[in-house]
Amino acid sequence: MSSRHGRERQIAEILTRRGMTYLVGVLGLERLVSWERGVRHRDPQKQFPAPPEDLRLALEELGPTFIKIGQLLSTRADLLPPAYQEELAKLQDSGPRVPADAVRDTLESELHASPEQAFASFDEEPLAAASIGQAHAATLHDGTEVVVKVRRPGVVEVVQQDLEILQNLAARASRRWETAARYDLVDLAYEFGGSLRAQLDYLREARNAERFATNFAQDRDVQIPRVFAELTTSRVITLERLYGMKITDLGALDAAGVERHALANRAAGVTAKMMFADGFFHGDPHPGNFFIQPSGRIGMIDFGLTGTLDDRLRERLRRLLVAFVREDPERLADALVGLGISTGQVDRSGLSQDLEKLLHRYFGRSVGEIALGPAIRELLSIARRHSLRLPPDLALVLGVVVIDEGIAAQLDPRFRFAEALAPYARRHILSQGSPDALRRRAAEVAMDFEELAVDLPGQLHRVLEVLASGGVELHVRTSELEPLLARAERVGNRIAVSVLAAALIDGLAGLAAANRGRGRNGRLAIGRSTLRALVSGSASAYTGRRLVSAARRSFSGPKSRRL
């Protein structure tokens, strides 16, 4: 029996023992468990999911790969209901102690020196033993105290085998289970696999730590541990040791005289900077990864899981925030669909109605009065209900916001996390109208025009060829036209923005010239040409959006249509 076959049997037996025979069936593992359990004759479509606790216990029993996958799932409100998220967040990333001889062998192999040669002191008793690595206290020859993380021997091979099995199981489930196909379980398996493989590489973690250190170099309220590159490889990472109190240890913080409201505000500022200024954020903000010094300074550790928000993703997030603030369900629906990956046909009308109900609950409240956690959870619940899956980095950052708001609430129940984030979000939104941002958008418009000019003739030529051929039925698939419609919509939006921006800049330049821009009663007068351009740009935007919306409606409904 191959090791892979044996591991699949182990997975089937653990799931069955935990009462998840429905999952054994949809994963195609029923042949690996005994007939007496009746798995072969049960319809997975008619079975209820196991209680959240059973799922957590099964993942713990299945080992490092499944624990990590469960931790990632605990941050994904767009995939799981709150009860499952809360339960999976309890997964403890722990493991048995690695023998001292194995740690020594790894250090000698990676650093080409014994622990006694590489360090002035090295404590064989681990500070912590996790599923992927084990941490040890050590001292450098210059007296610097460090933490040395050593990857578990053989863990890469175990994780790699498990991930390959998961990818195969996801493919089987997608053929057997409508829900798995709707959520594109195969793509999710690759997504989570990539995130987990990245956490196995300590060189990558070292680069992440150095990037955070650069981003916060001018911030005296944040400390990032120094990486000692000469003592770091893909299997060993050596970092400066940080001391301090756990951020949720309220008794210790009070005893040290740390003002908790100020600390909550400082922590919110760190989150806002990572999101809106840097576009690079810590993806695992549980309390154990933050040390608070008596001065209130925040120390961050553990940089294996990070996320990135590029300009385009932040722009889409900005649209979501603007639509929420304006309480516009149609605009919010557009923004949510633009953000998400559609795993099925989206009912725009139903989506808008659900979002209208959500907005109604927050009607009349200022941003600072809104608790972000419940609002985000409800928004992602709506996305999940309408088969919208968010890009992984965006889902991660929203999960981070929910966790950080919870930590801030523990520090000070009266603290308004949204109010603390608002100035950073406002500055980011305003920066989108700067000349540099407008120039970037103009460049993007030019590139999109070029792409559209290349793709459109070929698409039209193929359509005309099929129409010209006699006796052939033409099936137009929505999924095939959607990328072209999306690109046309993007181009139209950018053209409209560019026209409006150019008109505005032209008008402001005219107003500033030789103090000629004052009209009657000392008010600034906008030139007629500027006004015409603004009206024209608005009309172009409206017309373009109407045309694309009409095209989308024409091809909505069945997946294919005969002409």
Side-chain angles (χ1 to χ4, degrees):
M1 181 186 296
S2 69
S3 59
R4 179 178 293 186
H5 184 74
R7 179 59 168 159
E8 288 187 347
R9 180 180 293 279
Q10 183 183 36
I11 292 170
E13 290 175 350
I14 290 172
L15 292 177
T16 302
R17 187 164 63 251
R18 292 294 174 188
M20 285 177 278
T21 54
Y22 79 101
L23 197 52
V24 173
V26 299
L27 294 176
L29 296 173
E30 67 275 10
R31 68 190 185 284
L32 300 178
V33 293
S34 61
W35 278 86
E36 290 77 12
R37 299 187 187 275
V39 176
R40 288 180 183 270
H41 298 292
R42 296 191 179 187
D43 182 0
Q45 304 286 356
K46 296 181 180 179
Q47 305 238 353
F48 293 102
E53 184 180 9
D54 284 339
L55 177 60
R56 174 180 62 81
L57 293 172
L59 294 177
E60 284 180 345
E61 194 172 350
L62 285 167
T65 307
F66 292 84
I67 288 173
K68 287 292 187 182
I69 295 295
Q71 289 175 334
L72 289 171
L73 280 170
S74 73
T75 67
R76 297 296 296 268
D78 59 325
L79 299 176
L80 290 179
Y84 283 86
Q85 285 183 269
E86 292 170 9
E87 189 64 35
L88 294 184
K90 299 176 184 177
L91 284 167
Q92 298 299 309
D93 189 11
S94 60
R97 175 179 170 176
V98 178
D101 289 345
V103 172
R104 175 179 291 272
D105 289 344
T106 299
L107 291 174
E108 290 179 348
S109 172
E110 294 298 304
L111 305 181
H112 307 293
S114 66
E116 294 78 15
Q117 293 171 321
F119 306 97
S121 68
F122 184 88
D123 190 352
E124 291 186 350
E125 187 69 25
L127 292 169
S131 58
I132 288 178
Q134 184 165 285
H136 293 262
T139 306
L140 301 183
H141 292 292
D142 65 1
T144 303
E145 293 185 75
V146 296
V147 172
V148 183
K149 288 204 303 186
V150 182
R151 196 171 71 195
R152 285 183 175 277
V155 70
V156 172
E157 293 75 16
V158 170
V159 170
Q160 181 61 34
Q161 182 188 68
D162 280 349
L163 289 177
E164 289 179 357
I165 289 172
L166 281 172
Q167 287 162 5
N168 290 332
L169 295 180
R172 288 183 206 161
S174 295
R175 293 191 296 267
R176 292 169 170 234
W177 194 18
E178 182 183 347
T179 301
R182 187 168 72 248
Y183 280 98
D184 195 356
L185 210 59
V186 174
D187 186 60
L188 276 174
Y190 278 103
E191 177 188 313
F192 288 147
S195 177
L196 184 49
R197 289 186 182 96
Q199 295 180 58
L200 293 169
D201 183 1
Y202 286 157
L203 284 174
R204 185 186 181 103
E205 182 174 347
R207 290 193 296 271
N208 291 340
E210 290 169 344
R211 183 170 175 182
F212 279 116
T214 299
N215 291 344
F216 286 95
Q218 305 304 317
D219 191 339
R220 295 185 178 181
D221 290 331
V222 177
Q223 183 180 13
I224 307 296
R226 176 187 170 191
V227 177
F228 295 90
E230 67 278 7
L231 296 170
T232 296
T233 69
S234 62
R235 298 173 65 197
V236 175
I237 183 171
T238 303
L239 298 157
E240 175 187 8
R241 187 172 185 180
L242 302 188
Y243 288 94
M245 300 160 280
K246 191 175 179 179
I247 194 170
T248 51
D249 188 346
L250 306 185
L253 293 173
D254 291 340
V258 176
E259 210 286 303
R260 286 196 260 150
H261 181 86
L263 178 59
N265 193 62
R266 195 173 302 122
V270 170
T271 299
K273 180 182 183 327
M274 289 190 292
M275 286 175 53
F276 295 109
D278 303 332
F280 182 68
F281 60 94
H282 195 297
D284 189 16
H286 71 74
N289 285 337
F290 297 94
F291 293 105
I292 309 303
Q293 299 171 5
S295 64
R297 191 183 191 192
I298 301 173
M300 285 195 291
I301 64 169
D302 196 352
F303 308 101
L305 180 60
T306 61
T308 302
L309 292 176
D310 59 23
D311 288 342
R312 180 164 290 186
L313 197 53
R314 280 191 287 179
E315 167 61 18
R316 291 177 178 177
L317 183 59
R318 182 191 70 83
R319 293 178 186 175
L320 190 73
L321 292 171
V322 169
F324 192 90
V325 170
R326 291 182 178 178
E327 299 175 349
D328 185 339
E330 295 290 339
R331 188 186 295 267
L332 189 57
D334 287 343
L336 194 59
V337 171
L339 275 169
I341 301 169
S342 176
T343 54
Q345 188 171 338
V346 179
D347 177 7
R348 290 288 187 115
S349 176
L351 177 60
S352 295
Q353 289 175 11
D354 285 348
L355 292 172
E356 187 172 12
K357 294 175 185 176
L358 169 66
L359 291 172
H360 183 72
R361 278 191 282 279
Y362 295 97
F363 179 77
R365 297 192 203 177
S366 68
V367 174
E369 294 174 327
I370 295 174
L372 291 177
I376 289 174
R377 288 192 184 96
E378 190 168 358
L379 183 65
L380 295 183
S381 175
I382 291 172
R384 186 174 66 249
R385 199 155 60 242
H386 288 273
S387 302
L388 287 171
R389 178 162 57 85
L390 299 187
D393 281 336
L394 181 61
L396 184 60
V397 78
L398 293 177
V400 166
V401 169
V402 172
I403 294 171
D404 285 350
E405 185 180 49
I407 292 174
Q410 290 184 61
L411 291 171
D412 181 3
R414 296 170 298 175
F415 183 77
R416 294 178 174 180
F417 194 76
E419 190 172 30
L421 293 185
Y424 296 89
R426 192 177 299 116
R427 282 199 294 272
H428 173 67
I429 290 172
L430 291 175
S431 71
Q432 301 304 304
S434 68
D436 287 342
L438 293 173
R439 278 194 292 270
R440 285 196 304 271
R441 290 184 186 179
E444 290 174 353
V445 169
M447 286 189 289
D448 279 335
F449 256 131
E450 184 178 354
E451 291 179 10
L452 196 60
V454 170
D455 291 349
L456 189 57
Q459 296 274 7
L460 293 176
H461 181 68
R462 283 192 289 274
V463 170
L464 291 173
E465 279 187 337
V466 175
L467 288 174
S469 61
V472 177
E473 290 183 338
L474 175 65
H475 296 265
V476 181
R477 298 184 183 275
T478 309
S479 59
E480 294 171 357
L481 287 177
E482 183 62 28
L484 190 61
L485 290 173
R487 184 174 298 166
E489 184 174 28
R490 191 166 65 246
V491 171
N493 287 340
R494 288 180 178 164
I495 291 172
V497 169
S498 299
V499 170
L500 291 169
L504 186 59
I505 291 171
D506 177 63
L508 293 175
L511 294 172
N515 197 28
R516 291 178 298 165
R518 296 195 175 274
R520 296 177 182 177
N521 300 323
R523 295 181 179 176
L524 290 176
I526 299 178
R528 292 182 180 177
S529 60
T530 302
L531 185 59
R532 281 197 300 269
L534 288 170
V535 173
S536 175
S538 300
S540 298
Y542 177 77
T543 303
R545 290 181 66 84
R546 287 293 300 273
L547 286 172
V548 175
S549 297
R552 288 185 187 278
R553 287 195 300 271
S554 296
F555 292 102
S556 63
K559 293 185 177 179
S560 63
R561 178 172 298 199
R562 295 184 180 183
L563 295 181

